[in-house]
Amino acid sequence: MFHYTIRRLLIAIPTLLIISLIIFLLLDLAPGDPMAQMPLTVPPEVKERMRQALGLDQPLLVRYFLWIKQFFWIEPLNVLDSLFGWNLVGDAQRIISWQTRSPVADIIAQRLPQTLWVVGLAYVIGVLIALPIGIISAYRQYSWFDQIGTFVSMIGFSVPTFFTGVVLIILFSVKLQWFPSIYDTTLVVDDWDSLMKQIRQMVLPVMVLALFNASQISRFMRASMLDNLRQDYVRTARAKGLSEKVVVLVHVLRNSMIPVITVIALGVPTIFGGAIITEQVFKVNGIGQLLISAIQANDVPMVQTLTFIFAVLIVLFNLIADVLYGILDPRIRYD
Amino acid sequence: MTWKTLLLGATASLAFAQVAQAERGSDGEVRVIYYQAPSILNPYLSAGTKDEEASSLILEPLIRFNPAGEMVPWLVTEIPTLENGGVAEDMKSITYKLKPDLKWSDGTPVTAEDVVFTYEYCTAPGGGCAQASIYEGIDKVEAVDASTVRILFTEPKPVPYVAFAGAQGPILQKQQFADCLGEKAPTCTQQNFNPIGTGPFKVDEFRPNDVITLSANPNYRDPAKPAFAKMTLKGGGDAASAARSVLETGEFDYAWNTQLAPEVLDEMLKGGKGRMVFAFGSLVERLEINLTDASPSLPADERGTVKHPHPILTDIKVRQALSMAIDRALLAEVGYGDAGKPTCNLVPAPAAYADDTNTGCLTQDIEGAKALLEEAGWTVGAGGVREKDGKKLSLLFQTSTNAVRQDFQSIIKEWWNEIGVQTELKNVDGSVFFGSDPGSPDTFPKFWADVEMYANNFNGADPEAYLAERICSKIPSPQTQWQGQNVGRFCVPEYDDLAVQLGQTGDLEKRGEIARKMNDMLTRDSMTILPLVYRGTLSAASNTLGGVDINAWDSQLWNVADWYREK
């Protein structure tokens, strides 16, 4: 297993390098201009000088290798600097966002907490809701519970979050005025009042995302449970005289969890990617909102860095899912 | 009691109400939402309106423009003129006197050196200053004494109020930005995010593209202002949700640029929590007509150049017919409601420059348009499309992707269809259309189409530079990397002469006359630009927020020091 993991990690390096090049080339080929948002009153020659100040007059390959150097060398050094108070970076140029003229990594670090709180919590809640629903739906297949569960998850899965989000805002913020429609990212939780405030502002976005996540995962759970419930070992377990509780929650559930855990693990990178639409609707201003605003402004270093971080996470969690699979299922061995 | 005394009484009591509350920081917090989140608080590194306006809370220019487009001395004692001796007789220099006892928010005095430094900052090579154009034509900026600054121009400047004016030209603190010149400008993140200014507020925390928290500047020159102790400027989302947070949920006090369909706004106003405020500047939505042939059959370096005149649109009768078929009042109503007026002028304001007599295009005349086309030899052929010498009257009409513009496109297509003009519609994403990639076929200056629609305005309140964009040498072509704003490829020597004349005339009345003539040459006389709608700026304000005076000639937040909470 250890060798397998090492081998996979080594393979990941060229994979990621190729991904980074592809991202870079795609962004470069895509039409768009970082100066397009500037008003037309700014003359073309001024825009040209601004582009030069951003380094856009450099050849493609130079820009690519500069980015590689900044991402793999200068930014990690900077992390060490801030952890231990050293000064390894010195005057070296970090990856600078074109929109804000400030280091990309600092903005990402500033945004990550919001995203992890809202999107991460929604994922956890989604999983917590999905598992029992999936189990009961499978155990009582075609019961009213299963029917309702199927109906709700179909709605959660097929209605887009930009719709549910706005509906919830109109219902709970505009009509009932229970929850705010705009998330306050500067809120500091240090007492009971602010904690309640934080919970109130998280309710709506978490609800929207949790519904979406839960409907997806509960379907997997249900399908996997149904597969296992029909297996011979279940009949054997029952014949041995084991209680239904033990049969379902110990024997069937454990085996059914194997594919579901893979699905859950593969979904984790999407937490870091943020929820572009939901963040935009509720103004959570996390990573998703950062990505979309950077795309709109053609802020290439920001988009490049974010998408590459997502790529790293996806590669990483694929590996984790594979390793978990081997640990959970004794039939699978990689060595 | 007459009306006059009644009004006077009302004004007096209003003034009194303001005086009664006049104590700095007595009104708590004001919450403003910008659906486009500010990215940086240094307008010299971004000309984005959102960034300029957010910066205007902190940084201030020497002169501002009020909602009528008139100059207001802001950090200076008066507007220098030829009469008061502030402008030199030869019009080659202007002298500003700073207000006495001006302080930065850190308590240090504002001096003429700061003004000089600001000029150096924006003109330093390698800095990519976004406002470089307002400092063009300046030979030198010098500090005469601690509170007097003189600008020397290379040529006589009849309108010298461009530098250090409006939201584009605020003064930076020399001490803070001294190490940020030229190529170092982008490395000064701390400075760019937390500029020290003279404005009513100072930055507590700046989160790029998210939220700015500010508090009242303890050293602001008016000890009674601002009434608010704190300000939160949140960014993100879209115009509709920003408007909703003011008009329906009341979470915010002011939402910037809530340009929405009139019926959507009416519905939101029923929430009863706020009102719409609007102001008109110089923004005009217009059709530009391409006088050159952009047909794809031509080689790429000749396509859309003056070498090939347009086969259809060089005939003024056709251009006129296209204009006559349009009902501008309907377009303004449908697209912009209260924030739009039909117009025939490219320069719709200020009053001194706008031609009130140019109103001929306001009435739609379908029959007249048809007659004109007949006269020009275009007769109705198969499918109702006009033809001449076997050639169909068919046009490609492009604009940027935007709900209102696509509505306009389809309505105009309908009208043109009625007069027998076939129209093919195309829309291009704004970041490409307004981008300036010379390799892209879809930018608005390249204009590889027959007709295009967009909006533009001018900075400050003087249209000289704006009208000068239409001279022959500003025609985009492969030689200019397809840059230049004379997108219709309009070229009349008489117009070029007038542009030179305007640049040499100081007398306001004469300037107005020349500008109006140039405006008419582009619109009524040549029909190369068909103005459609004079667009205002529309924002939403809470009913409890007083003192709002929205301004389209400067930052919308220009008078934020006067804002207060209605009790």
Side-chain angles (χ1 to χ4, degrees):
Chain A
M1 194 64 110
F2 181 70
H3 286 287
Y4 170 78
T5 314
I6 296 293
R7 203 170 64 228
R8 283 282 302 266
L9 280 174
L10 288 178
I11 295 173
I13 293 173
T15 315
L16 286 172
L17 279 176
I18 292 172
I19 292 177
S20 77
L21 181 65
I22 292 176
I23 296 175
F24 199 86
L25 291 177
L26 275 178
L27 286 177
D28 194 74
L29 286 176
D33 173 7
M35 296 297 131
Q37 281 193 336
M38 299 286 139
L40 298 181
T41 45
V42 177
E45 33 322 333
V46 173
K47 286 187 186 170
E48 191 49 43
R49 282 204 293 276
M50 291 178 78
R51 260 183 236 111
Q52 282 166 8
L54 296 176
L56 262 169
D57 52 344
Q58 303 286 328
L60 180 69
L61 273 181
V62 173
R63 279 185 281 136
Y64 175 65
F65 285 113
L66 179 65
W67 180 84
I68 290 278
K69 179 185 156 204
Q70 288 170 336
F71 189 89
F72 289 103
W73 182 241
I74 294 169
E75 290 297 337
L77 284 186
N78 184 64
V79 173
L80 292 179
D81 283 359
S82 55
L83 282 180
F84 302 110
W86 300 338
N87 187 16
L88 298 173
V89 175
D91 273 346
Q93 181 74 285
R94 300 175 59 192
I95 305 176
I96 297 280
S97 149
W98 286 349
Q99 274 184 94
T100 67
R101 310 292 181 98
S102 70
V104 165
D106 294 358
I107 304 177
I108 296 177
Q110 195 176 56
R111 294 304 185 89
L112 208 52
Q114 274 94 268
T115 292
L116 289 186
W117 264 113
V118 174
V119 187
L121 190 67
Y123 201 66
V124 172
I125 290 180
V127 170
L128 290 180
I129 298 173
L131 295 185
I133 290 181
I135 295 167
I136 300 174
S137 297
Y139 189 65
R140 302 222 180 282
Q141 199 184 4
Y142 306 131
S143 66
W144 60 266
F145 186 90
D146 183 26
Q147 306 284 7
I148 292 174
T150 307
F151 179 69
V152 171
S153 51
M154 277 306 146
I155 288 183
F157 197 59
S158 48
V159 179
T161 48
F162 62 79
F163 183 76
T164 36
V166 173
V167 168
L168 288 185
I169 283 180
I170 288 177
L171 189 63
F172 290 109
S173 300
V174 176
K175 299 281 179 236
L176 297 171
Q177 310 239 335
W178 289 357
F179 305 113
S181 69
I182 291 171
Y183 190 94
D184 178 2
T185 44
T186 55
L187 184 69
V188 182
V189 179
D190 52 5
D191 57 5
W192 182 251
D193 269 359
S194 55
L195 177 69
M196 289 312 288
K197 247 187 158 169
Q198 177 68 12
I199 292 174
R200 281 188 36 191
Q201 70 174 353
M202 280 173 68
V203 168
L204 293 183
V206 168
M207 210 150 87
V208 168
L209 285 171
L211 174 71
F212 183 75
N213 291 328
S215 22
Q216 222 173 351
I217 296 168
S218 70
R219 300 312 290 172
F220 278 110
M221 189 71 225
R222 178 178 179 274
S224 175
M225 282 291 281
L226 282 177
D227 280 349
N228 278 288
L229 277 169
R230 300 196 188 103
Q231 300 279 327
D232 290 344
Y233 75 86
V234 178
R235 198 176 311 124
T236 315
R238 284 195 176 123
K240 279 199 299 185
L242 294 178
S243 69
E244 277 301 292
K245 198 175 147 192
V246 174
V247 171
V248 176
L249 293 185
V250 177
H251 292 254
V252 180
L253 180 61
R254 236 191 223 173
N255 283 305
S256 319
M257 281 306 279
I258 296 170
V260 175
I261 283 190
T262 316
V263 168
I264 294 174
L266 288 180
V268 171
T270 58
I271 298 176
F272 291 88
I276 291 175
I277 291 162
T278 315
E279 285 185 8
Q280 190 84 348
V281 170
F282 293 98
K283 270 69 81 190
V284 179
N285 290 0
I287 301 285
Q289 190 266 354
L290 185 63
L291 178 64
I292 192 75
S293 60
I295 292 174
Q296 282 165 348
N298 282 296
D299 184 355
V300 173
M302 178 70 85
V303 179
Q304 163 85 7
T305 308
L306 278 174
T307 31
F308 186 67
I309 293 176
F310 300 161
V312 172
L313 288 170
I314 289 168
V315 169
L316 193 69
F317 276 88
N318 265 295
L319 176 63
I320 291 177
D322 284 352
V323 171
L324 270 181
Y325 214 75
I327 293 172
L328 291 173
D329 192 340
R331 287 167 298 186
I332 296 172
R333 281 294 171 264
Y334 295 116
D335 292 318
Chain B
M1 212 174 349
T2 61
W3 267 112
K4 197 175 166 189
T5 42
L6 254 179
L7 281 173
L8 272 175
T11 332
S13 61
L14 230 153
F16 182 71
Q18 279 192 29
V19 169
Q21 312 171 322
E23 189 188 334
R24 177 178 295 155
S26 57
D27 283 354
E29 191 194 6
V30 61
R31 297 167 62 78
V32 176
I33 184 161
Y34 268 53
Y35 77 87
Q36 289 179 8
S39 310
I40 193 166
L41 287 179
N42 179 353
Y44 291 110
L45 293 183
S46 164
T49 313
K50 63 195 173 89
D51 303 318
E52 281 176 2
E53 297 205 348
S55 318
S56 76
L57 295 165
I58 305 136
L59 298 169
E60 296 177 310
L62 297 184
I63 44 179
R64 277 212 186 286
F65 300 94
N66 70 9
E70 299 153 354
M71 285 182 285
V72 182
W74 206 250
L75 294 181
V76 291
T77 49
E78 62 179 349
I79 303 284
T81 56
L82 275 169
E83 288 76 50
N84 65 25
V87 176
E89 283 298 329
D90 62 358
M91 297 195 290
K92 283 183 81 168
S93 78
I94 182 169
T95 310
Y96 288 104
K97 275 206 93 64
L98 294 174
K99 281 184 178 167
D101 298 326
L102 268 184
K103 283 200 174 72
W104 294 104
S105 60
D106 63 1
T108 56
V110 179
T111 69
E113 287 299 332
D114 293 305
V115 183
V116 175
F117 173 79
T118 303
Y119 167 73
E120 284 165 3
Y121 179 86
C122 190
T123 48
C129 178
Q131 315 291 2
S133 61
I134 67 172
Y135 297 114
E136 259 167 30
I138 293 180
D139 178 37
K140 199 166 136 205
V141 179
E142 57 181 22
V144 179
D145 59 51
S147 64
T148 314
V149 64
R150 181 180 298 139
I151 307 174
L152 302 160
F153 301 103
T154 49
E155 306 266 308
K157 268 225 173 179
V159 183
Y161 314 106
V162 182
F164 310 114
Q168 289 83 26
I171 308 301
L172 297 176
Q173 192 192 37
K174 180 176 182 180
Q175 200 192 341
Q176 194 190 18
F177 282 88
D179 292 330
C180 303
L181 287 173
E183 279 164 8
K184 288 200 203 132
T187 61
C188 291
T189 307
Q190 158 66 22
Q191 287 86 338
N192 294 335
F193 284 3
N194 300 277
I196 294 170
T198 52
F201 289 94
K202 64 183 183 64
V203 190
D204 290 340
E205 194 195 5
F206 177 76
R207 297 192 182 197
N209 288 5
D210 179 14
V211 62
I212 313 170
T213 39
L214 307 112
S215 57
N217 171 3
N219 291 305
Y220 187 61
R221 55 190 173 277
D222 184 339
K225 288 170 180 173
F228 290 103
K230 287 205 156 297
M231 174 181 237
T232 303
L233 195 149
K234 172 85 177 175
D238 53 277
S241 61
R244 189 182 299 123
S245 70
V246 170
L247 302 176
E248 291 190 291
T249 69
E251 289 165 85
F252 281 81
D253 295 307
Y254 190 84
W256 168 79
N257 206 357
T258 46
Q259 190 78 67
L260 295 164
E263 61 271 18
V264 174
L265 283 176
D266 285 345
E267 193 56 39
M268 285 188 183
L269 282 168
K270 286 184 192 153
K273 290 211 157 66
R275 62 192 193 274
M276 300 309 299
V277 287
F278 48 89
F280 287 86
S282 57
L283 188 66
V284 171
E285 185 86 28
R286 81 291 291 279
L287 294 181
E288 300 265 358
I289 307 243
N290 196 345
L291 297 176
T292 62
D293 190 359
S295 131
S297 56
L298 294 168
D301 57 337
E302 289 181 13
R303 187 176 170 191
T305 63
V306 285
K307 204 169 163 193
H308 301 274
H310 197 285
I312 302 169
L313 293 172
T314 33
D315 185 350
I316 188 172
K317 283 181 181 146
V318 178
R319 303 199 293 266
Q320 172 123 30
L322 292 178
S323 174
M324 282 163 79
I326 296 170
D327 183 352
R328 289 166 171 81
L330 184 73
L331 287 178
E333 174 66 36
V334 170
Y336 298 101
D338 284 338
K341 302 176 192 169
T343 187
C344 304
N345 279 325
L346 184 67
V347 177
Y353 295 103
D355 184 2
D356 303 332
T357 60
N358 182 14
T359 52
C361 77
L362 294 180
T363 31
Q364 187 188 28
D365 183 4
I366 297 270
E367 291 313 313
K370 284 182 185 166
L372 259 180
L373 289 176
E374 289 288 339
E375 215 178 291
W378 292 93
T379 49
V380 181
V385 180
R386 287 178 190 272
E387 286 172 11
K388 181 175 162 183
D389 309 327
K391 193 173 170 49
K392 283 196 166 189
L393 184 43
S394 172
L395 301 172
L396 174 62
F397 176 12
Q398 71 176 11
T399 187
S400 72
T401 310
N402 161 316
V404 176
R405 294 215 168 109
Q406 264 74 81
D407 279 352
F408 276 26
Q409 271 190 316
S410 49
I411 298 171
I412 291 172
K413 178 181 173 152
E414 203 49 45
W415 286 325
W416 286 354
N417 198 25
E418 263 182 70
I419 60 168
V421 177
Q422 191 180 48
T423 317
E424 188 190 333
L425 301 182
K426 173 174 165 184
N427 67 75
V428 183
D429 186 81
S431 69
V432 176
F433 191 69
F434 295 116
S436 32
D437 175 8
S440 165
D442 292 326
T443 65
F444 84 95
K446 202 170 212 175
F447 200 179
W448 278 358
D450 303 309
V451 182
E452 69 182 358
M453 175 166 61
Y454 65 94
N456 197 2
N457 62 338
F458 48 92
N459 280 338
D462 186 275
E464 182 187 319
Y466 183 57
L467 288 168
E469 291 292 344
R470 300 290 169 171
I471 58 173
C472 298
S473 60
K474 300 277 183 173
I475 292 179
S477 69
Q479 287 75 40
T480 67
Q481 306 301 313
W482 295 106
Q483 307 299 328
Q485 290 198 359
N486 188 355
V487 297
R489 285 64 155 152
F490 171 84
C491 185
V492 175
E494 195 196 342
Y495 185 88
D496 285 24
D497 292 345
L498 284 173
V500 174
Q501 249 188 59
L502 185 60
Q504 293 165 345
T505 311
D507 178 50
L508 189 68
E509 211 157 296
K510 273 249 100 139
R511 288 180 66 81
E513 207 175 289
I514 300 171
R516 284 194 294 273
K517 190 150 185 220
M518 292 169 81
N519 170 75
D520 293 346
M521 283 178 78
L522 292 169
T523 56
R524 182 179 59 194
D525 304 343
S526 75
M527 292 280 166
T528 51
I529 297 176
L530 311 181
L532 299 176
V533 180
Y534 178 21
R535 282 173 53 186
T537 314
L538 190 67
S539 291
S542 157
N543 284 335
T544 67
L545 184 65
V548 174
D549 192 4
I550 183 175
N551 189 342
W553 296 103
D554 203 316
S555 164
Q556 282 196 21
L557 306 174
W558 72 295
N559 76 331
V560 69
D562 303 332
W563 287 13
Y564 61 94
R565 182 70 64 198
E566 303 259 16
K567 298 266 163 42

